[in-house]
Amino acid sequence: MDIAIVTGSAGLIGAESVRLFASRGYHVVGIDNNMRKYFFGKDASTAWSRRNLESTVHDYQHFNIDIRDQTFVNQVFAEFNSDVRIIIHTAAQPSHDWAASQPQVDFSVNANGTLNLLEACREFCPDASFVYTSTNKVYGDNPNQLPLIELDTRWELDPSHPFAEHGIDESMSVDHTTHSLFGVSKLAADALVQEYGRYFGMKTACFRGGCLTGPGHSGTRLHGFLSYLVKCALTGDEYTIYGHQGKQVRDNIHSADLVEMFWHFHQNPRCGEVYNAGGSRHSHCSMAEAISLIEELTDRKINVSYSDQSRVGDHIWYVSDTRKFQSHYPKWDYAHDFRTTVKQIVESHTARDRTASDASQQAIATDASTSIESVLAQLERTGVASCDSVRS
Ligand SMILES: NC(=O)c1ccc[n+]([C@@H]2O[C@H](COP(=O)([O-])OP(=O)(O)OC[C@H]3O[C@@H](n4cnc5c(N)ncnc54)[C@H](O)[C@@H]3O)[C@@H](O)[C@H]2O)c1
């Protein structure tokens, strides 16, 4: 049997990977301990996504283990051994700001956790493909040195710059720059993944994501800006923009389009590759443009506040050039544009809210009927009335 091991399987990219590889005949084994709830609180829990996978994906097998624990990781790999064809490693502490609050936890999850998985792969299934979800934060704030011009709703790159037409390619330096501690732990993992490809000849690749997004995100204040913006639009919660006049530009790739990249890589894997993997010029927006689109699609005004203090290492303009990947895998292309992606996020939040409200009405109804039953029982016990007479 062909096995795919997905870490962070209940997260946005992990769950999308589980679905795609299961639909293409793989037995998928997921590793996720819902550490996202520990990082960001119960609103960001991915327990709902795990339940969803277990009830809808045939034969999906979940392991509630921590990637920092080499013993448990090895036990999972030993069970499936050389049947493992691909590892998709998405588990991570994903936020800049959180990393600064607990640097050791951030580093141990992002860097040591990745090393544990590479070692397990080398020991039990060295021929498997190893896909790592890296980040454009490995470039630190070097992109902020590009010549930018301010337009009405966004920052834009000077049209004469070589990156202006297609975005930033993999030649951007990772040195002499402020990464944030998160950027550093991800860069350490990125370098390890490259090295296991170059030094040991393993089929490893780093996909340096721009903003990864989609309807499966459990967006929260510190991570998942589009999903969180939609949440704020629907709940009325305040959304704070940090710096750059709200004109900072991000590219946004739908989780399904990214996972298709992994699939194409796995069909013809290479060793120690690095790919920029974002929405590119195909799908990008400024914060202000995203807010307008979400207000239009939800028909609600977002309660926006503004802080002059930008986030450490935050990019003012980042658009990925994905042409290196496309030149290696020319059959891959985007299936989702920006508007479609945001629309799907709005629909999924609306559906999740409906489910939550049905569940809470059900709970109220159950509570009410339970208390009526207990009053009736008490009346009967004290001989005041029989349940049947009170009911009627
Ligand atoms: N979402 C983005 O915008 C973005 C951008 C660039 C790169 N990335 C990277 O892509 C990857 C996936 O991102 P995502 O948005 O799907 O993240 P996510 O937070 O939705 O999912 C990650 C999952 O990993 C799990 N996890 C965390 N620590 C773990 C541990 N120690 N052991 C086991 N499971 C653990 C979490 O519970 C969560 O379910 C991450 O590595 C992230 O750094 C994300």
Side-chain angles (χ1 to χ4, degrees), residues 12-13 32 35-36 46 66-67 90 92 134 186 210 212 217:
L12 171 72
I13 303 304
D32 197 313
M35 209 162 165
R36 190 170 169 91
T46 50
D66 192 322
I67 58 164
T90 79
S134 186
K186 292 293 282 186
L212 315 181
H217 224 173

Side-chain angles (χ1 to χ4, degrees), residues 236-282:
D237 288 354
E238 184 175 89
Y239 184 90
T240 307
I241 295 173
Y242 294 94
H244 310 307
Q245 295 79 47
K247 296 181 180 184
Q248 50 273 60
V249 168
R250 279 102 181 71
D251 66 342
N252 306 282
I253 185 167
H254 192 293
S255 47
D257 288 340
L258 180 69
V259 172
E260 277 292 348
M261 282 178 146
F262 303 164
W263 176 262
H264 282 266
F265 173 78
H266 181 50
Q267 302 318 298
N268 188 14
R270 302 163 66 105
C271 297
E273 281 294 354
V274 167
Y275 298 114
N276 284 354
S280 74
R281 281 289 187 192
H282 174 77

Side-chain angles (χ1 to χ4, degrees), residues 25-238:
Y26 281 71
H27 174 73
V28 185
V29 172
I31 294 177
D32 197 313
N33 64 351
N34 197 11
M35 209 162 165
R36 190 170 169 91
K37 183 176 170 196
Y38 168 76
F39 299 140
F40 308 126
K42 68 177 173 17
D43 278 0
S45 163
T46 50
W48 66 275
S49 171
R50 171 186 170 175
R51 282 194 295 277
N52 215 337
L53 292 174
E54 286 177 323
S55 60
T56 58
V57 178
H58 178 65
D59 264 357
Y60 170 67
Q61 211 175 336
H62 192 94
F63 288 86
N64 185 23
I65 66 170
D66 192 322
I67 58 164
R68 290 175 294 176
D69 193 323
Q70 181 83 69
T71 308
F72 287 139
V73 167
N74 281 3
Q75 278 169 11
V76 174
F77 276 71
E79 187 171 336
F80 301 102
N81 224 323
S82 56
D83 285 343
V84 178
R85 305 275 175 262
I86 179 164
I87 293 108
I88 301 172
H89 172 33
T90 79
Q93 188 301 107
S95 155
H96 295 240
D97 297 343
W98 197 93
S101 69
Q102 293 194 39
Q104 290 192 323
V105 176
D106 172 76
F107 197 84
S108 62
V109 171
N110 290 353
N112 295 76
T114 302
L115 182 56
N116 288 344
L117 290 156
L118 286 164
E119 270 301 290
C121 179
R122 188 163 78 93
E123 182 173 349
F124 297 101
C125 48
D127 293 331
S129 309
F130 190 105
V131 164
Y132 171 60
T133 43
S134 186
T135 167
N136 59 16
K137 302 303 178 317
V138 300
Y139 300 122
D141 61 2
N142 274 335
N144 292 352
Q145 309 309 315
L146 294 170
L148 298 176
I149 41 181
E150 188 174 357
L151 304 180
D152 281 352
T153 60
R154 58 160 57 202
W155 290 98
E156 231 342 310
L157 190 50
D158 183 325
S160 65
H161 193 277
F163 289 158
E165 191 178 349
H166 299 289
I168 295 170
D169 69 22
E170 295 80 2
S171 67
M172 172 70 65
S173 169
V174 297
D175 292 322
H176 311 298
T177 176
T178 302
H179 291 92
S180 81
L181 292 174
F182 159 76
V184 172
S185 61
K186 292 293 282 186
L187 178 58
D190 183 303
L192 281 167
V193 171
Q194 290 183 60
E195 202 59 29
Y196 272 63
R198 287 168 184 267
Y199 195 92
F200 295 120
M202 286 165 54
K203 298 162 191 158
T204 65
C206 301
F207 289 80
R208 294 180 171 165
C211 286
L212 315 181
T213 190
H217 224 173
S218 307
T220 175
R221 190 174 64 81
L222 294 182
H223 187 241
F225 98 96
L226 280 175
S227 174
Y228 186 59
L229 255 178
V230 169
K231 200 185 254 182
C232 290
L234 296 176
T235 58
D237 288 354
E238 184 175 89

